[in-house]
């Protein structure tokens, strides 16, 4: 009997709804092969009880977990990694080399998020970040293969959303664990046309050309499905990839003329909002515009911030 926050996706892959922000917003994945297990992304500290409950519901002990693999070190993906590792005596943490030091000593991550969110929101959403002992941390390399009970998994470097981002290929299910590199796709926007997706340019390392190249590289493996952190598995990956590429171009086209604009942030927010409403209308979304913008409120703000940071790094 599985808890209602665990979804069996087949191929020994389970999505765990971490309940961060709202239901069906933030997933962690549990992969099980011959009694051994791996977590891919962890959610925040508050997700850890659910991750441990998912293990138990599948009849697995805490010593069955060999790997904890955050796709990148943004806190909705890796904020719970340190606390989770304390519960998993056999697990090794596998992280992108640019993210490793931040999970060993999370002080910089904490202070960065504190500056954005403030003390009360940090406690409410993330809790106290725990470091992972350096001797339990492995750094991935581009093209690295790892095994989970003999099941081969490939890691590739996928910059564009963040420079500390890698993605994991599971040949068995022909699926990528994409973190934030293949955008965000909320189930509330599903229609007869299928899922809808939007790119994420969360501060502070959005690089549009690198992001497009990472998506192209993942598509070269002919994936049948993508396991997104926000939220869960999507098919129809060819259509979604084309949409992401076009939307990244649209974000750049929106942002570039606003580089020196005094009302830049507000205009970016307005432009993104209009873009998403237009996209969702063409997608056949039946939700009202106010509800659409409510569901996208945080992403509109973060994407506008990230585009601003990107503009500021461009040569004048
Ligand atoms: Zn992210």
């Amino acid at each position: 009997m599985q808890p209602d926050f665990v979804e069996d996706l087949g191929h020994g892959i389970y999505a765990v709804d971490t309940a961060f922000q709202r239901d069906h917003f933030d997933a962690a994945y549990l992969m099980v092969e011959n009694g051994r297990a791996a977590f891919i992304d962890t959610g925040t500290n508050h997700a850890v009880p659910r991750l441990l409950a998912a293990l138990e519901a599948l009849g697995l002990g805490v010593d069955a977990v060999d790997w904890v693999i955050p796709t990148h070190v943004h806190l909705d993906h890796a904020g719970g990694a340190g606390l989770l590792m304390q519960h998993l005596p056999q697990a090794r943490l596998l992280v992108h080399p640019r993210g490793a030091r931040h999970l060993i000593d999370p002080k910089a991550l904490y202070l960065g998020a504190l500056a954005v969110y403030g003390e009360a929101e940090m406690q409410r959403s993330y809790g106290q970040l725990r470091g992972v002992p350096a001797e339990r941390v492995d750094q991935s390399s581009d093209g690295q293969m790892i095994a989970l009970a003999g099941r081969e998994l490939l890691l590739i470097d996928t910059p564009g959303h963040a420079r500390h981002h890698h993605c994991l290929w599971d040949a068995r299910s022909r699926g990528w664990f994409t973190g934030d590199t293949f955008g965000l796709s909320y189930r509330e926007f599903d229609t007869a046309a299928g899922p809808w997706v939007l790119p994420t340019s969360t501060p502070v390392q959005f690089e549009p050309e690198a992001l497009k190249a990472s998506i192209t590289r993942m598509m070269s493996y002919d994936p049948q499905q993508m396991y997104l952190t926000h939220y869960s598995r999507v098919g129809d990956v060819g259509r979604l990839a084309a949409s992401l590429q076009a939307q990244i171009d649209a974000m750049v086209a929106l942002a570039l003329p606003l580089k020196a604009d005094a009302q830049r942030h507000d205009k970016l927010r307005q432009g993104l909002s209009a873009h998403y409403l237009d996209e969702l209308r063409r997608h056949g979304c039946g939700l009202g515009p106010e509800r659409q913008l409510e569901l996208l409120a945080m992403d509109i703000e973060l994407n506008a911030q990230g585009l601003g940071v990107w503009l500021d790094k461009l040569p004048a």
Side-chain angles (χ1 to χ4, degrees), residues 22-314:
R22 62 177 185 256
D23 286 347
H24 301 156
F25 177 81
D26 186 66
Y29 290 96
L30 177 58
M31 181 185 285
V32 181
E33 180 77 10
N34 280 329
R36 305 305 301 169
F39 282 108
I40 302 138
D41 280 343
T42 69
T44 71
N45 281 325
H46 303 316
V48 170
R50 285 191 168 198
L51 303 182
L52 297 174
L55 268 184
E56 188 177 358
L58 294 168
L60 297 165
V62 290
D63 55 358
V65 179
D66 290 334
W67 296 106
V68 173
I69 310 173
T71 56
H72 61 303
V73 304
H74 288 162
L75 294 180
D76 47 334
H77 301 256
L83 180 61
L84 180 64
M85 287 291 288
Q86 291 182 355
H87 288 274
L88 306 175
Q90 302 293 333
R92 297 195 63 76
L93 185 83
L94 181 61
V95 59
H96 190 284
R98 289 179 181 269
R101 66 190 169 93
H102 293 300
L103 296 187
I104 293 167
D105 179 2
K107 193 179 302 162
L109 284 182
Y110 181 81
L111 292 175
L114 183 67
V116 176
Y117 300 114
E119 181 73 47
E121 176 62 14
M122 279 305 291
Q123 279 310 314
R124 188 185 76 81
S125 285
Y126 303 106
Q128 184 64 48
L129 302 182
R130 312 288 175 88
V132 181
E135 63 271 17
R136 299 186 66 191
V137 176
D138 290 333
Q139 301 186 24
S140 73
S141 57
D142 186 50
Q144 178 180 5
M145 302 290 301
I146 63 164
L148 177 67
R151 179 172 178 167
E152 290 199 322
L153 303 167
L154 167 71
L155 287 135
I156 67 166
D157 183 23
T158 53
H161 172 76
R163 290 187 171 183
H164 45 84
H165 203 305
H166 56 198
C167 291
L168 187 80
W169 169 247
D170 172 44
R172 175 87 55 82
S173 63
R174 301 205 66 77
W176 284 103
F177 292 84
T178 60
D180 286 341
T181 300
F182 203 74
L184 317 169
S185 179
Y186 302 126
R187 301 282 59 79
E188 291 92 335
F189 297 127
D190 287 352
T191 69
W196 177 73
V197 71
L198 72 156
T200 160
S201 60
T202 301
V204 292
Q205 294 181 335
F206 173 60
E207 295 170 300
E209 289 308 315
L211 184 56
K212 291 177 68 176
S214 290
I215 292 166
T216 298
R217 188 175 175 198
M218 286 196 286
M219 291 304 295
S220 74
Y221 287 74
D222 190 23
Q224 301 302 302
Q225 50 202 334
M226 299 295 203
Y227 302 99
L228 278 57
T229 304
H230 314 281
Y231 175 85
S232 196
R233 176 183 55 181
V234 293
D236 211 356
V237 292
R239 177 178 62 82
L240 296 184
S243 175
L244 286 169
Q245 302 282 22
Q247 290 189 66
I248 294 164
D249 288 342
M251 292 165 80
V252 168
L254 166 70
L256 280 178
L258 298 173
K259 179 165 166 54
D261 194 292
Q263 275 89 49
R264 184 175 78 186
H265 184 70
D266 287 343
K267 289 182 180 177
L268 285 170
R269 287 179 50 101
Q270 290 160 14
L272 289 169
S273 299
H275 166 77
Y276 298 136
L277 291 175
D278 183 54
E279 280 268 324
L280 285 165
R281 183 183 52 73
R282 290 190 285 118
H283 187 60
C285 179
L287 300 174
E290 284 182 11
R291 178 63 179 150
Q292 293 174 18
L293 292 178
E294 183 182 41
L295 288 165
L296 293 171
M298 190 168 65
D299 299 313
I300 290 166
E301 173 62 26
L302 290 173
N303 280 358
Q305 285 184 21
L307 285 169
V309 172
W310 169 68
L311 286 171
D312 284 340
K313 292 178 183 169
L314 293 178

